[in-house]
Amino acid sequence: MRRDLLTWLVLSDIAAVLVPSGALMGSGAAAAGRAAVAGAAMITLAWALGALRVDVVDQARSGWAHVVAAMVATAPAALLLAHYTTPGASILSVLLPLAAQAALSLAGRGAESSWLRRRRVEGHGLRRTLIVMGNGAEPVLRQLRRHPGDGFLIVGYLSSGESRAPGATPVGDVASLARTVRSEHIDVVMTLGGVTPNSLVSIMHALDSTGARLVIAPGLQDVVPGRMHGLPVTHGWSGLIDIRLRRTALRTKNLVDRLGGALIIVLASPVLAVAALAIRLDSPGPVFYTQTRVGLRGRTFTMWKLRSMYIDADERRAALVESGGDAGNEILFKDRQDPRITRVGRFIRRTSLDELPQLFNVVRGEMSLVGPRPALPHEVAEYDEEARRRLLVKPGMTGLWQVSGRSDLSWESTVALDRHYVENRGAALDTYVLAATLRAVAGGKGAY
C-alpha cells in the first residue's frame, strides 16, 4: 500500500472532522466538542469498516460506502451523547455537523481517487507488476492493458503450466522468484488465467520475504467484486470464491420503470410541447418519428422519438453511406455532419430531447429506463453469439454505452459495455447510470 496515498486519506478525514467542529466554536465549546467526538467516532468506525483498506487506497476508490455506513451507525450514538451532555440541543444541531463531516470526507476521498486515476492514465503512480500467465490468460491481459487507470505497469512475464507466452519464462523456484521481485522492485505479482497450484504456492512462498502483493485474476469477465465472496473452509485448506449469479428483481424493476417513466412524462410535458412546436416550424413533416427496434428476447416493437431529420432521411441513407459519410463502427451507422439532420434536430440530439418519447415505450413495458441500446433489425442480423446476449434484457433509454462515449464508441466497446450491464445489472448499477447520464447529456459528448 502506498504510504503517501494512505497519509492523504488519513489527513483528509481528520480535516473533515476538525473543520465543522472548529466552525461551531462560535456556538460554544460544548457544541464544538460534541461534534468533534461524534466525527472522530464516525471516521474511526469508517476506517474499521475498511475505508483505509488496500482495495480503497491502491485501487483509487473513495470508500464512500464505508463512510456512509459509519455516519448512519454513529448518528444514534451522537444523539444519545447530546441528550446526556446538552439536553437542550436540537436534533438538527447534532446531525447537521455529522453530515457535514461525512460530506467533507467524501469530497476529499473523491478528489484523491480522481487525481490518482488521472495521474495513472498519464503514466504516473503506477505499480510495477510482474505477470504470471496461465492457460486462458490472453483475454484478461487485453483488458488489463486497456485500463491503465487501475494502476498496473507490466514490467515482465512468467509462465505457468502449459502456457508459453512469447518472452515469458517459467515461474522457477522460490529463491529465484524472490530475487527477481527484489531486483526489479516489483510491487505486485499478478496471476492471470489457469495458473497451476504448484506455481501459486511457489509465488506465495517467494513473496513472504518481500513487500510485494499477490493479486489473482482467475479470468472471470464482467463480474464485479460485489458479486464475489470468500467462503470459509475447514482449517483453511483452500480459498473458495462464491459468485452471486445474476438474479434481478424483474417485477420491482418493471414497476420502477413504469412509475418513473410516467412521472417523467408528466414533468417533461412542457418541454415536449415546446420541442414539438419547434420541429413543426423548422421543417415539414410529423413531430414524431417511429422505427422498428428489437427488444427483449428478439421481440420487435415500435420505438418513438422526436423527429430530428428531414422526412426523406431513410431514402437518403444508402447514398450517404456510399459517399463515405459513415463515422460509426462496424455495425452502427453514424455521421458527425449528417446532412439529413434539421437545425432543430441537431439541438434536440445534442441534448437528447429527441429520446423523451421513448418514455411511452417504457410505460408500455417495451423498454426500460436503463439497459442496452435498442437495436435495429438489420443490426441484430449481424450479431454474433456474444452480441446477442444484449437481447436478454429490455433495451434502455440510457445505459453504459450512453455514459461512456455514445456514438464515439467502437462496436467492440459497445458490446462489452452492454455485456457488462447484462451480467451485473441491478439497482446500484442503474442508479449509477442514471446519475452519469445527466452528466453525459449536459456535456453533449458523443451525441450527433
Side-chain angles (χ1 to χ4, degrees), residues 120-121 123 126 129-133 137-158 165-168 190 192 217 412:
R120 284 176 169 173
V121 170
L126 303 176
T129 303
L130 178 63
I131 299 295
V132 181
M133 300 184 66
E138 287 76 13
V140 186
L141 184 60
R142 284 196 297 270
Q143 293 296 324
L144 186 65
R145 288 169 172 164
R146 287 179 59 188
H147 297 88
D150 289 330
F152 298 105
L153 174 64
I154 301 174
V155 298
Y157 299 89
L158 299 177
M190 180 183 295
L192 305 182
E412 180 180 318

Side-chain angles (χ1 to χ4, degrees), residues 263-307:
L263 178 61
I264 298 174
I265 287 174
V266 173
L267 296 176
S269 56
V271 177
L272 274 170
V274 172
L277 179 61
I279 291 169
R280 290 302 300 269
L281 294 176
D282 182 52
S283 63
V287 170
F288 296 104
Y289 173 76
T290 60
Q291 195 174 45
T292 299
R293 296 290 177 120
V294 182
L296 178 66
R297 304 196 183 283
R299 291 193 291 268
T300 58
F301 67 97
T302 300
M303 189 183 76
W304 291 73
K305 300 182 73 172
L306 289 176
R307 182 175 59 84

Side-chain angles (χ1 to χ4, degrees), residues 321-338:
V321 173
E322 290 179 4
S323 66
D326 187 358
N329 51 51
E330 303 91 301
I331 305 295
L332 308 180
F333 172 83
K334 290 289 181 180
D335 187 352
R336 295 177 184 272
Q337 301 298 327
D338 196 330

